[in-house]
Amino acid sequence: MTTATYEVLAASSDHAVAVTIAFIGGLIVACALIWAVRVGMRVMDKDTHHPAPEEQPHLPETGPVREMREMREPDEMPVVTRDGRRLLPHELHRASTRTGKDQKPRRWLPGSSGSFGGGGLGHT
């Protein structure tokens, strides 16, 4: 195509009508999107319950909850109960450990190897 062809296409009334129609179509789509957002915001404001300040969670009176550290020991599960019948699933408790009797944390002992098969002398 030559420059003359471009000039003829730009000057034709069909091109101007097509651009105008595309512009008006874009405006309609933009207005429809704005309307949909506003309607959605109105619906959300009516439907959702915003909690009042007294309904918000508060700290306990004793203050924030802190991490608790304890030494645990395995809780062995008996195969049968004392009366000779087997345990059923609803009779089991949820944890396989319990709070240990000795709450003093284990420390590294000088002279121990530190790892299994580490080549050290171990406990002497």
Side-chain angles (χ1 to χ4, degrees):
M1 296 177 82
T2 62
T3 307
T5 309
Y6 285 125
E7 289 176 6
V8 170
L9 285 175
S12 71
S13 63
D14 293 339
H15 181 67
V17 170
V19 169
T20 305
I21 291 173
F23 181 75
I24 291 172
L27 279 177
I28 291 171
V29 169
C31 290
L33 289 174
I34 291 170
W35 174 80
V37 168
R38 284 189 176 177
V39 168
M41 289 171 62
R42 262 189 254 132
V43 168
M44 288 293 289
D45 286 340
K46 289 179 184 175
D47 285 349
T48 58
H49 167 70
H50 300 289
E54 54 271 358
E55 294 175 339
Q56 297 288 338
H58 297 287
L59 280 176
E61 292 178 5
T62 58
V65 178
R66 301 286 181 211
E67 178 180 333
M68 189 175 98
R69 221 169 231 233
E70 65 181 0
M71 302 301 290
R72 306 285 293 176
E73 63 184 20
D75 192 11
E76 301 296 330
M77 183 179 69
V79 178
V80 293
T81 61
R82 291 185 183 145
D83 59 355
R85 63 180 185 80
R86 66 184 180 96
L87 288 175
L88 298 176
H90 68 276
E91 296 172 325
L92 301 175
H93 54 339
R94 66 172 194 245
S96 63
T97 61
R98 63 175 176 242
T99 303
K101 294 174 187 163
D102 181 22
Q103 288 296 313
K104 196 166 82 175
R106 296 182 191 145
R107 299 285 181 201
W108 175 76
L109 298 173
S112 66
S113 66
S115 67
F116 180 75
L121 297 175
H123 294 285
T124 55

